Amino acid sequence: MSDTVKIYVDEKMMEVPAGISVAAAILGHSHSHNHSNDQSRKAFHNNSMDASPRAPYCLMGVCFECMMEIDGEANVQSCLVTVQDGMQVKRQLNTEAFHYKNTEDDLPENRRTNND
Amino acid sequence: MQNNHKEYDVVVVGGGISGLAVAYGLCKNNEKLRLAIIDSPTELNKASRTNVGLLWCQSKFLDVPDFARWGFLSCKHFPELLQELKEISKIEIPVNFTGGLIPTLGEAEFTQRGDYIQKLKTALGAYPGSMISRSELESKLPKIKFGEEVTGAAWCEEDGVVEPLLLFRAYRSALKKMGATILEDSMVYDVQAKDNNAYKVMTSRGEITCERLVLAAGLANRRFASFAFNDSDNATNLDMPHNLHDNLYDVSYNHGGLPIFADKGQVLLTERLPFVMPIPLLGCTQTFGGTVIIGFKHETRGHDATVVPEAVSQEGAWALRVWPELAQKRIIRSWPGLRVMPNDKVAIYSHLPNHPHVTVINTHSAVTLAAVHSRYLPEYIMGGDLHECAENMTLKRFGFAC
Amino acid sequence: MINHLDLLIVGAGPAGLSAAVAARSCGLDVGVVDEQGAMGGQIFRNLHLPFGRDVLDEHDKELGLQLFDAFHASGARFFSETTVWGADKNTVFCKHKGKSEKITATKILFTTGGMERPIPFKGWTLPGVMTAGAAEIILRSGGHISADKEPVVLAGNGPLLLSLAMHLIDEGIPIAAWLDTGRFSHKLGSIMHMGSALGDIPYLKRGMHMALRILKNKIPIIQGVNQIEALGENSLEKIRYQKNSKWHEVASHTLIRHENIIPRVQIASALGVELVWDSVQRYWYPKTDEYGRTNLNDVYMTGDGAFVNGGEASINKGYIAGIAIAQDMGVLSADEGALRCAESLAAMRKTCKARNYLRYVFAPNPDAYKVPDETIVCRCECVTAKEIRDAVREGFHTPDEVKRFTRAGMGPCQGRMCGNALAEIIAQEQGVSVEKVGMLRNRQPFAPVTLGEYCSLHAPKI
């Protein structure tokens, strides 16, 4: 049994100790001197309301800021998943800031509005 | 408010959507009106806080066409209500008047629903809706991949959906700005007639008197209205023994007192999804928050309001047949609610027997009917007539004299 | 699918593992589930890995290894990466790798432990801001907390900060500043209770040893800090803090924030277990007797999840609960039960009494909850303190009402991160006690579960 496993974060390979969580792997093993490139400080996901960058706060399952796509499943708490060889991990960064209303494109043409 | 004794022209017992709607209408008609709303502590079941906010008139009440008309009338007046509320409260209330859809599964359901709508068309004379095919449904909601069994939908252009909590908040804010008194977290202990034209309401905040009383406390109306049923000779069947097989919720069953019962609903709420539902689907509706509410069940279990996973997952299973992609979406919350259901499902707008200054309001469609409640009920409350659509919605139809 | 158990334990930390050992010693069929990938909870996190062991001091390491050995020898079954999302009478619903299962058991013991007290402050949602526990977990995962041993900043008041500081010193990670938010008056007041600490000399000694190391390493400790801000564009770049009405700044890419530990009460709340308010520590905890019995038949709660007394006490509490459960099932007589837990009971009482003064030392500064208007309180739904205050002024006075009308607490974390602050802010606005305000009402599901899984478990086969 190997002491390390290879996981793929946004398709980039990382070799990390076996037995640790995905979130701990990314936070603890992907540093860079160049702060703006530092993968450990890059958002794990964007918040679904205001699209702000979020990363783990608690690393133990209560803050829900570690959510990532793991092996095709979205919104998985990566701090509760143990790294496995070949695991595909993706940051969820494509959220736009949330609005209450549909855009004009979504609404049917002959709808009534408040002004009718 | 710390006063121990206060006088009002009108007191509204119950600060839910019904109470707020009529209070608003009353204050709008008369800015000098002294009005108070009493609302109980919020741990008690509050139907106004647990609903989806659908503005739904389609496909129901074939046997009571006036009630169907009443619903359509409300949907028609909704835009101006929201505009007024927005101006006074400054609260933006998200709403869609984009129509409504009831999906059908299988051919039989499609035919059945179509027959019902055909009968409605005949009964009402005019009906703003029809059945649409699956491909028409897909073109109305192109971002949803419907399950194989979906055969089409009942479509009605007059329906819509509103954000119910913001509607609630806007009503309250508008009322405060219009000078109404809102007594929150207050219990009503007793209601007594002072003399023919005044009422005493004993509350946890002291005694309140009023000339006219509105009972809009949902299921709690049962106990607040009981003073009128106890001293009247309207209660029948007092000597007859009860039968184990009596259906408590049957129209003909008279257990004395206000003929309303608790109709239990439970919902599941998913995480936020991108907007894919510009027109609301009945039974699994995407809210303005982006989450999807799944639930449409009606159960009669008395006041029991616990979430029963077996029951609510039947609704979930139905939603999965309509919209299979929901299977991967996470449920983040689930809650129950008790609808306020008059025995014959039609609203009750009525003075109480021998008490023309007391009006009781009960309906399970208080969100849809908010517009007509605000617009037309104040007249009846203040001694005038009921709108023609609602003429037969008094307690007379249950055999009470009023 | 596992057979009906005598005892299901939810949470494989010190309390849960110890309870399993105790119950197994009485012959019960025991299963333990944990959402984490391995057993150990927080204090014994990653003890099965070399770097998990290396970080701990000798005393804790021995304690943990002994417990693990006892568990492995006991024959109790352990199911990792298994999240409990629902419960019914004698039943628990859980998911494991995308599939949901139902587990039935005559008795259910919840040992879900504690979490760090979440206190909102400006910028707390920035990447680079984390709890002491999170930093600890990174170390125990063989990782680095900061790039290239860049200095980190500690802020707060609590035991994990102390033990983390020791580990940082061991790793050679510089601490740029230690912002102490504790109230001096609390520390003074705790001296009254210090006397009881003399009942636990080894613990006192360890504390003093830690204090000495901090002094020796010349870590800049700033006392009396009352406001903290984390600043940066996409992640943390610098920290501002206020002391004596003056603002100061320190640059860092890592802010470790800790304000002691509170019990995780979401499951207790959802099941209807009666809750009690601790006015010193300002948290709710489930009402239990010393043996973990709650007001619900067949439901037990113990460990830090019942009251925060630390890992060592949890081992004893768990053991006692395991014996009590065997007794309640009629497997042991009351006399035998008393005999079997005598030692653990005595040790537990001694530990709890000796460390009671810590309740005061590490009491949260209530000013910490005077969250500035623009600060996000509900992280999931981005609800600010101002929105909450506005809702209270509009007449919404309970946490559930404010939740409905602001969305605070409606996100996936179900109020775990914002619930405490929500109640505190409502209490401030209304001028009433936090106890009177109450807390958010939790319901099932305890954790998000997909609609597919939920229905597959519950929908009756037609």
Side-chain angles (χ1 to χ4, degrees):
Chain A
M1 235 269 304
S2 175
D3 286 331
T4 63
V5 298
K6 294 190 171 75
I7 64 171
Y8 296 84
V9 180
D10 290 327
E11 278 150 33
K12 252 182 72 178
M13 198 274 287
M14 270 182 75
E15 192 157 356
V16 296
I20 66 175
S21 70
V22 172
I26 297 172
L27 269 193
H29 295 268
S30 63
H31 293 284
S32 149
H33 310 297
N34 182 345
H35 177 63
S36 49
N37 263 345
D38 189 350
Q39 295 299 303
S40 77
R41 293 290 181 269
K42 189 173 168 196
F44 278 47
H45 79 282
N46 285 348
N47 179 272
S48 68
M49 278 296 282
D50 70 357
S52 55
R54 300 295 178 93
Y57 180 73
C58 77
L59 266 193
M60 55 160 283
V62 295
C63 74
F64 286 78
E65 300 282 25
C66 63
M67 294 198 291
M68 306 183 90
E69 184 192 299
I70 298 185
D71 286 341
E73 193 187 340
N75 290 336
V76 177
Q77 285 173 281
S78 57
C79 70
L80 296 177
V81 175
T82 309
V83 292
Q84 302 290 340
D85 225 11
M87 202 170 238
Q88 294 288 336
V89 178
K90 295 206 160 67
R91 297 174 195 268
Q92 299 182 166
L93 301 179
N94 51 7
T95 311
E96 288 162 15
F98 177 80
H99 299 289
Y100 261 142
K101 291 183 161 49
N102 291 316
T103 65
E104 282 299 303
D105 297 332
D106 295 322
L107 299 173
E109 274 169 11
N110 55 349
R111 73 196 182 283
R112 292 178 300 135
T113 67
N114 269 345
N115 301 320
D116 287 353
Chain B
M1 185 202 78
Q2 296 304 314
N3 301 9
N4 261 342
H5 182 105
K6 260 280 189 154
E7 267 181 42
Y8 293 95
D9 298 319
V10 181
V11 164
V12 177
V13 177
I17 274 288
S18 294
L20 292 173
V22 297
Y24 169 77
L26 286 162
C27 290
K28 182 165 164 254
N29 290 354
N30 177 0
E31 41 174 68
K32 294 211 182 64
L33 193 74
R34 298 171 303 161
L35 181 143
I37 302 176
I38 306 176
D39 200 27
S40 73
T42 56
E43 311 89 67
L44 307 181
N45 288 308
K46 303 307 256 307
S48 297
R49 289 159 170 76
T50 53
N51 63 79
V52 180
L54 290 169
L55 303 174
W56 214 255
C57 342
Q58 67 156 297
S59 195
K60 49 187 179 178
F61 297 112
L62 172 60
D63 46 340
V64 197
D66 275 343
F67 196 47
R69 282 192 194 99
W70 186 231
F72 282 115
L73 186 62
S74 194
C75 280
K76 182 166 145 239
H77 285 298
F78 231 92
E80 64 199 80
L81 169 69
L82 294 181
Q83 192 59 34
E84 283 169 23
L85 285 177
K86 180 177 166 183
E87 271 162 22
I88 305 174
S89 72
K90 307 286 178 256
I91 292 178
E92 185 82 49
I93 306 167
V95 63
N96 269 348
F97 294 109
T98 48
L101 292 158
I102 306 180
T104 54
L105 293 170
E107 288 302 329
E109 221 176 88
F110 187 89
T111 312
Q112 213 174 21
R113 182 70 70 175
D115 286 344
Y116 189 88
I117 290 184
Q118 202 44 49
K119 292 191 181 120
L120 261 181
K121 272 198 176 124
T122 312
L124 294 174
Y127 182 82
S130 59
M131 296 303 291
I132 59 173
S133 67
R134 185 193 164 105
S135 57
E136 285 174 290
L137 173 64
E138 283 168 337
S139 65
K140 281 196 190 297
L141 296 178
K143 293 185 185 161
I144 296 183
K145 280 212 287 285
F146 289 99
E148 301 178 328
E149 296 174 79
V150 174
T151 39
W155 153 249
C156 173
E157 62 191 33
E158 299 284 309
D159 291 336
V161 61
V162 71
E163 216 309 312
L165 294 172
L166 282 175
L167 173 65
F168 186 100
R169 199 170 174 188
Y171 261 133
R172 272 177 66 129
S173 174
L175 277 164
K176 283 192 176 163
K177 294 199 168 117
M178 290 157 90
T181 303
I182 302 185
L183 306 172
E184 295 125 4
D185 301 321
S186 307
M187 298 305 306
V188 170
Y189 300 128
D190 199 10
V191 173
Q192 284 171 17
K194 260 176 70 176
D195 51 46
N196 262 345
N197 284 333
Y199 289 85
K200 216 164 42 168
V201 183
M202 263 70 83
T203 79
S204 53
R205 300 228 200 180
E207 201 180 276
I208 298 178
T209 55
C210 58
E211 210 185 299
R212 289 179 193 272
L213 186 63
V214 177
L215 300 179
L219 290 169
N221 272 359
R222 265 182 179 169
R223 65 180 186 274
F224 299 135
S226 61
F227 71 92
F229 298 102
N230 286 343
D231 59 24
S232 78
D233 42 15
N234 282 293
T236 61
N237 298 337
L238 284 179
D239 302 326
M240 282 181 57
H242 295 288
N243 190 324
L244 262 183
H245 299 288
D246 278 343
N247 182 352
L248 289 176
Y249 310 108
D250 190 80
V251 163
S252 59
Y253 185 83
N254 186 349
H255 44 45
L258 205 54
I260 58 175
F261 65 91
D263 177 315
K264 182 180 172 188
Q266 309 181 57
V267 300
L268 294 171
L269 184 86
T270 71
E271 58 194 340
R272 181 170 284 128
L273 273 55
F275 271 124
V276 296
M277 199 187 286
I279 305 171
L281 273 176
L282 183 67
C284 57
T285 312
Q286 185 165 32
T287 66
F288 292 95
T291 55
V292 176
I293 295 190
I294 297 163
F296 51 83
K297 230 172 165 33
H298 293 259
E299 285 181 284
T300 44
R301 295 186 53 84
H303 282 85
D304 169 57
T306 51
V307 173
V308 178
E310 284 78 13
V312 77
S313 49
Q314 281 174 23
E315 302 177 285
W318 173 88
L320 289 176
R321 289 162 73 194
V322 172
W323 189 1
E325 272 179 296
L326 283 180
Q328 282 78 46
K329 302 304 171 199
R330 288 172 163 69
I331 305 292
I332 55 175
R333 276 177 296 131
S334 170
W335 67 80
L338 294 178
R339 298 180 187 85
V340 185
M341 192 62 83
N343 276 18
D344 60 359
K345 311 219 167 77
V346 177
I348 297 174
Y349 308 119
S350 189
H351 297 309
L352 288 183
N354 297 332
H355 293 273
H357 279 209
V358 181
T359 308
V360 71
I361 299 174
N362 277 122
T363 174
H364 72 289
S365 290
V367 176
T368 302
L369 297 175
V372 285
H373 285 177
S374 292
R375 198 180 168 93
Y376 296 114
L377 288 185
E379 193 180 320
Y380 179 65
I381 291 167
M382 299 308 282
D385 293 329
L386 266 177
H387 187 280
E388 58 172 346
C389 281
E391 264 169 8
N392 295 322
M393 296 186 196
T394 66
L395 284 170
K396 254 201 208 110
R397 70 191 198 265
F398 294 107
F400 295 99
C402 50
Chain C
M1 191 63 175
I2 60 182
N3 310 72
H4 180 85
L5 293 167
D6 285 322
L7 171 61
L8 174 70
I9 300 174
V10 180
L17 295 176
S18 187
V21 169
R24 279 297 300 151
S25 75
C26 302
L28 301 189
D29 278 331
V30 180
V32 183
V33 295
D34 199 303
E35 57 187 3
Q36 303 285 346
M39 63 179 71
Q42 305 316 316
I43 184 176
F44 299 132
R45 159 94 51 165
N46 286 357
L47 200 58
H48 62 298
L49 300 172
F51 20 75
R53 284 193 287 280
D54 292 343
V55 173
L56 284 180
D57 69 21
E58 272 313 305
H59 171 85
D60 286 342
K61 189 160 68 174
E62 269 318 299
L63 212 54
L65 288 173
Q66 270 172 31
L67 182 59
F68 276 28
D69 284 342
F71 182 83
H72 290 307
S74 73
R77 284 181 286 169
F78 173 55
F79 306 97
S80 63
E81 282 191 45
T82 301
T83 303
V84 170
W85 52 262
D88 203 352
K89 196 145 173 32
N90 302 111
T91 310
V92 134
F93 303 101
C94 51
K95 61 178 175 171
H96 173 73
K97 295 207 195 295
K99 271 208 72 192
S100 277
E101 289 285 359
K102 190 161 91 163
I103 303 177
T104 59
T106 304
K107 300 284 187 190
I108 302 174
L109 169 63
F110 289 95
T111 46
T112 47
M115 57 179 273
E116 289 187 53
R117 182 194 312 277
I119 298 195
F121 59 95
K122 178 170 170 181
W124 70 312
T125 55
L126 274 175
V129 179
M130 65 184 78
T131 60
E136 183 73 26
I137 290 171
I138 293 173
L139 291 178
R140 302 218 200 166
S141 305
H144 303 288
I145 291 180
S146 58
D148 216 24
K149 307 223 166 143
E150 264 186 14
V152 304
V153 172
L154 305 183
N157 181 34
L160 287 195
L161 219 47
L162 276 168
S163 52
L164 177 70
M166 297 300 104
H167 301 157
L168 292 174
I169 293 171
D170 287 337
E171 299 282 313
I173 295 171
I175 297 170
W178 181 328
L179 310 173
D180 185 350
T181 57
R183 277 210 297 205
F184 193 58
S185 58
H186 270 178
K187 294 189 164 133
L188 266 181
S190 75
I191 288 173
M192 275 179 25
H193 301 269
M194 273 278 268
S196 56
L198 294 173
D200 192 349
I201 302 284
Y203 187 76
L204 259 187
K205 267 189 172 167
R206 286 163 69 206
M208 302 235 279
H209 175 71
M210 284 198 239
L212 280 171
R213 286 192 80 195
I214 290 169
L215 284 173
K216 190 166 160 210
N217 281 272
K218 299 203 176 71
I219 292 167
I221 300 185
I222 296 126
Q223 302 224 332
V225 170
N226 48 32
Q227 280 253 56
I228 296 175
E229 292 181 358
L231 300 152
E233 200 180 320
N234 292 315
S235 61
L236 181 66
E237 283 156 31
K238 65 182 175 195
I239 296 131
R240 291 180 73 223
Y241 63 92
Q242 193 194 44
K243 176 197 157 89
N244 292 339
S245 312
K246 272 187 75 184
W247 284 93
H248 306 265
E249 216 173 82
V250 52
S252 176
H253 295 129
T254 309
L255 172 60
I256 295 169
R257 186 90 176 83
H258 175 67
E259 290 285 348
N260 210 355
I261 296 168
I262 61 177
R264 293 172 69 168
V265 295
Q266 287 74 33
I267 292 180
S269 166
L271 294 181
V273 170
E274 202 183 320
L275 297 173
V276 183
W277 175 252
D278 182 311
S279 55
V280 174
Q281 276 289 321
R282 298 175 91 92
Y283 63 56
W284 292 96
Y285 62 94
K287 187 169 180 193
T288 64
D289 66 11
E290 269 181 311
Y291 303 88
R293 298 181 184 103
T294 68
N295 58 305
L296 298 184
N297 248 358
D298 300 340
V299 173
Y300 299 73
M301 294 186 172
T302 196
D304 273 357
F307 197 84
V308 179
N309 292 110
E312 212 165 319
S314 289
I315 295 176
N316 288 318
K317 284 171 170 177
Y319 196 87
I320 295 161
I323 301 297
I325 285 167
Q327 189 182 311
D328 291 348
M329 284 185 70
V331 168
L332 295 184
S333 68
D335 283 344
E336 190 179 356
L339 198 65
R340 281 177 179 254
C341 32
E343 205 181 307
S344 299
L345 197 59
M348 179 198 82
R349 285 175 179 160
K350 187 171 158 204
T351 310
C352 291
K353 187 152 177 262
R355 306 206 190 160
N356 193 37
Y357 76 101
L358 290 178
R359 234 173 108 231
Y360 296 86
V361 174
F362 296 133
N365 185 339
D367 288 345
Y369 284 113
K370 297 211 165 111
V371 181
D373 273 349
E374 338 71 56
T375 299
I376 285 180
V377 173
C378 169
R379 296 173 65 118
C380 299
E381 299 291 311
C382 302
V383 182
T384 62
K386 178 167 194 304
E387 289 173 74
I388 294 168
R389 291 183 178 117
D390 285 346
V392 178
R393 283 184 211 124
E394 259 177 72
F396 303 114
H397 295 159
T398 66
D400 283 319
E401 279 286 271
V402 174
K403 169 181 157 187
R404 278 181 205 112
F405 294 97
T406 61
R407 300 192 62 83
M410 283 195 179
C413 93
Q414 299 174 331
R416 285 167 172 82
M417 299 302 286
C418 64
N420 297 73
L422 184 61
E424 294 267 355
I425 294 170
I426 292 172
Q428 284 161 22
E429 270 308 301
Q430 286 205 269
V432 300
S433 71
V434 186
E435 185 180 3
K436 180 150 188 285
V437 168
M439 56 170 265
L440 278 178
R441 164 114 183 259
N442 281 97
R443 279 189 213 275
Q444 305 190 34
F446 311 133
V449 55
T450 66
L451 181 61
E453 284 167 43
Y454 187 96
C455 294
S456 73
L457 262 206
H458 288 304
K461 307 275 186 266
I462 300 167

